[in-house]
Amino acid sequence: MSGTLPALPRTTAVNLALVLLGMLILLSLYLLHRSSTQDYQQQRLLQVEQSVRSLSLTQRELVNARLHEVDRSLLTLRRLSEHSGAKGDELREYMLSRQLSSPELLDYFWLDRQGEMRVRTFDQPAPVVADRDYFRVHQHRTIDQPYLSSPAWSRMHDPHLFIALSRPVFNSDGVFDGVLVAAIDVNVLAEELGQITEQADLTTALLTLEGELIYRMPKINLQPGLMVAQVMQWQGEPPDNYTYRGAAPVDGKWRQTAYQRLDDWGLLVVVTQDLEAVLQDIDRFYQRESYKFALMALFAVLALVFCGWMVQRQRRLDQYMNAQLRESHERLMEAQQQAHLGHWEADLSQGTLWWSDVIFDIYGQDSQSCQPTLDSFVQAIHPDDRDAVLSLSVAPGPQGVVDVQHRIVHSDGAVRWVHQRVREVVDEQGRRLLGSTQDITEQKLHEEAIRRQAEALQASNDELEQFAYVVSHDLRQPLRMIISFSKALEPPLSQLQDASVHEYLGYIHEGGQRLDEMLVSLLEYSRVGRGGEPVSACSVAQLRDEALIYLGPEIRSSGAEIEIDGEWPVLPVSRNEGVRLFQNLIGNALKFHAPEAVPRIRLTGECRSDLWLCRITDQGIGIDPAQLERIFKVFQRLNPRSAYRGEGIGLAVCRKIVQRHGGEIHAESRGSGQGACIHFTLPLMTSEESSGA
């Protein structure tokens, strides 16, 4: 163990500390400057985003109200024609009155089942419109729903760009008997609805879900079939409510854009604001903050230079302590630093060794009769560890600390484990080693026990992997053969008159299918926590929204009402299992409700000290309070399979996911028909996890 390094003079160390302090101050000022500018930028952009979002919501409501008003007029016309026996002149009179009150209505007309006009408001010769989509859609689809066409040019002497809102007409036998159409002038509609964005830096537009532009304010040279690239880039349907900043696809300017979807009409409302003025304001703020940062940094540098000059002026007054005081101080500091350990000191120049009374006990020696030496210290090291310990080198100085764990042998042959920390000190008295010794035998025994348990657990996991493979492959293969051959027996046995044979075959087939589904469910349960994504910082709001996207068909088909409230933080969660957790719990709330009722589900989140609590509450069929714990067990069902599908594995998977992440899950219900609440907790991120994320 060797190595020398001259000690730095105290004044040099102080000057170095001043330099480091100056760097820290400058870094703090820079971070403050950066934080201030970023906060201002985020605040300004957030204001614009909120403003544009509000305008888009208003525009959506205006468009929706106007289209519903036109649709109601079509329903009124249809009632007049079907129930009151109104003649063509009366219908035309009503159409003209509607046109007077609604300037955007270009024309009303009534097409018969062949597409020829019965009644219309224009006096010009009737054009041929049987090939228009607003007629063909209703002709081939007998569902009583309104239809909104894409933009097209009217076939009149003075063509207008219009969109058509149509409704089918049926005779008394419910057979398709024609179409009522309201032609809406796109330019007039744009001027009426686009007034909320009259500022020079705002635009509003109406598009179809496929991305075809219906109108834009301020006006542009618009032709039918003009597509907007941003909407076309989406896979599937665009989101209901979406904002982004970027280059606008129409004019290429950098804008804040907000989309709002009108599901009733298959339309998108788009509102944008030009960000040029906002970005210029952000640049001016950045320049002002930069000047402030430069002045503060200059003041800090001058102050540190003055402090350095004062340190140099006082350098002769700062003397080292005498050798004996420094030695006592070092021993005191070592004792304070390692109060729970034995400590020792070896003088390499003189070959002497001193250690505290605790080390006598660790080495199994008598402090009264035994005097420690370097040779006795070396001889006490276990022979198998001796070469490795002696080959270690210690760099001089307070930072040159060596940690080593090795075995020692007592005089009675007992083997113990110790942890040594050693550092070298070089001064005018020579070279010395200062060290501490801790008995870690119990810790090593514990580590060995943990290692054996880990090996046993790994072996158990390997067996579980093999079991999962057998369930998914080997056991399902003969089961599929049973199902297949039971089906193959149906044709030759179909001629038998014995009804019990067919009944038994049905039992075989149904039981095999059910057993196959149970095996697949059991495989899913066994795979939780194995082979999936590792735990990482995930936004539970994103996991929740992804689960809602997967459940979209069930939500739309059932008309479910879902309310979201509370806090949705970032947590350490495995992403795939987090999505599966929300999907299973929300899916259960969608499934277990009365057939005639609309599912109403409330999702709430709440942060409590070091835990996050999530509640999923429904107004469904409820749970018997005596069965609340049973629902989390594998293959446990409280309702007949004929009423509600499933294998009784979903909540068991949820409990396994929550427990794997260090949380708890429980259920609450007042009984049948009273709804239920599933609530679970997950640990919040620690400060170390947050800084690492």
Side-chain angles (χ1 to χ4, degrees), residues 516-547:
D516 186 63
E517 293 173 0
M518 292 176 68
L519 289 176
V520 173
S521 299
L522 185 59
L523 176 60
E524 177 187 3
Y525 178 79
S526 67
R527 283 179 173 170
V528 173
R530 299 185 296 107
E533 290 186 348
V535 172
S536 61
C538 294
S539 168
V540 289
Q542 293 180 357
L543 302 180
R544 175 204 67 207
D545 293 342
E546 186 172 345

Side-chain angles (χ1 to χ4, degrees), residues 320-383:
Y320 287 108
M321 299 173 61
N322 59 63
Q324 187 62 39
L325 179 61
R326 184 179 64 180
E327 180 178 353
S328 300
H329 176 71
E330 287 177 351
R331 286 190 178 183
L332 177 61
M333 293 299 296
E334 254 341 286
Q336 293 175 347
Q337 188 178 19
Q338 308 289 347
H340 62 292
L341 304 174
H343 54 279
W344 52 268
E345 178 180 334
D347 189 331
L348 301 181
S349 302
Q350 300 181 10
T352 59
L353 175 65
W354 172 92
W355 61 31
S356 64
D357 293 340
V358 177
I359 300 184
F360 282 99
D361 296 333
I362 294 175
Y363 277 76
Q365 298 180 9
D366 185 2
S367 60
Q368 301 298 326
S369 60
C370 180
Q371 179 63 36
T373 63
L374 292 177
D375 290 338
S376 64
F377 176 84
V378 172
Q379 293 300 320
I381 301 175
H382 194 283

Side-chain angles (χ1 to χ4, degrees), residues 490-521:
E490 290 180 358
L493 295 178
S494 61
Q495 300 177 0
L496 297 178
Q497 301 300 320
D498 190 352
S500 61
V501 173
H502 302 286
E503 182 181 2
Y504 296 157
L505 281 176
Y507 290 156
I508 293 174
H509 182 66
E510 180 183 356
Q513 290 289 353
R514 181 180 176 188
L515 181 56
D516 186 63
E517 293 173 0
M518 292 176 68
L519 289 176
V520 173
S521 299

Side-chain angles (χ1 to χ4, degrees), residues 240-374:
D240 292 338
N241 188 334
Y242 177 71
T243 61
Y244 81 101
R245 285 185 291 272
V250 176
D251 55 12
K253 291 184 177 180
W254 195 259
R255 295 179 179 273
Q256 175 68 55
T257 303
Y259 287 83
Q260 298 291 336
R261 192 167 76 181
L262 286 78
D263 290 330
D264 291 344
W265 309 105
L267 297 177
L268 282 178
V269 167
V270 183
V271 175
T272 70
Q273 180 174 343
D274 191 350
L275 294 176
E276 181 178 358
V278 176
L279 296 177
Q280 289 177 353
D281 179 64
I282 293 174
D283 288 339
R284 288 192 294 270
F285 181 84
Y286 181 84
Q287 291 177 0
R288 292 195 300 270
E289 290 297 306
S290 298
Y291 293 145
K292 290 167 59 178
F293 166 75
L295 290 175
M296 295 176 67
L298 179 60
F299 175 80
V301 170
L302 292 176
L304 290 172
V305 170
F306 176 78
C307 291
W309 176 74
M310 290 295 294
V311 169
Q312 292 294 333
R313 189 178 177 204
Q314 298 294 326
R315 66 184 182 276
R316 293 190 179 276
L317 301 177
D318 191 5
Q319 300 296 328
Y320 287 108
M321 299 173 61
N322 59 63
Q324 187 62 39
L325 179 61
R326 184 179 64 180
E327 180 178 353
S328 300
H329 176 71
E330 287 177 351
R331 286 190 178 183
L332 177 61
M333 293 299 296
E334 254 341 286
Q336 293 175 347
Q337 188 178 19
Q338 308 289 347
H340 62 292
L341 304 174
H343 54 279
W344 52 268
E345 178 180 334
D347 189 331
L348 301 181
S349 302
Q350 300 181 10
T352 59
L353 175 65
W354 172 92
W355 61 31
S356 64
D357 293 340
V358 177
I359 300 184
F360 282 99
D361 296 333
I362 294 175
Y363 277 76
Q365 298 180 9
D366 185 2
S367 60
Q368 301 298 326
S369 60
C370 180
Q371 179 63 36
T373 63
L374 292 177

